Amino acid sequence: MPEMRFRVRWPDQIESLCYSPSLVIKDYFQPGQSYPLPEFVKYSREALEIASERVRQKYGYTCSSAMSQLAEIEAKASQFLDSDNPQVSVIEFIE
C-alpha cells in the first residue's frame, strides 16, 4: 500500500511533517493551498479514517499510525481555536 507524507504550516508558522498510509490525502488537499483550520481538521479526519480503513481491508487491522497522526493534528489545531481565522497551509506531498 503506498504511503506518503505531507508537510503543513500551522498558523504559528511552525511546519509539521504528517503521515498517511494511503495516497487518499491527495483527494483532499492541494500543495500550495491554505485551508481554514476547521476545514483542514475535518478533511484530515476524513482522509486518515479512509486511509486506516484501507489498511484494515488489506491487512485485517486498522492503521494505528494514521490514528496517531489524526490525534496529533487535532491536538495542534486545538492551540489555535481562539485565533482569528486560522489557516493551515499544505506545503508539499512526499511519496
Side-chain angles (χ1 to χ4, degrees), residues 24-90:
V24 71
I25 293 295
K26 290 182 170 186
D27 295 340
Y28 286 83
F29 298 117
Q30 179 81 26
Q33 291 287 105
S34 292
Y35 300 86
L37 182 69
E39 187 176 300
F40 176 77
V41 172
K42 176 185 174 204
Y43 291 162
S44 294
R45 183 178 302 113
E46 289 176 13
L48 290 168
E49 286 175 352
I50 289 168
S52 182
E53 177 60 19
R54 287 180 179 176
V55 170
R56 189 193 65 73
Q57 289 174 0
K58 185 168 185 174
Y59 298 107
Y61 53 86
T62 59
C63 181
S64 60
S65 295
M67 294 300 92
S68 292
Q69 182 62 72
L70 177 57
E72 288 177 30
I73 288 171
E74 291 174 336
K76 181 71 173 177
S78 71
Q79 298 175 17
F80 307 107
L81 293 177
D82 293 332
S83 300
D84 184 34
N85 192 31
Q87 301 279 313
V88 179
S89 299
V90 176

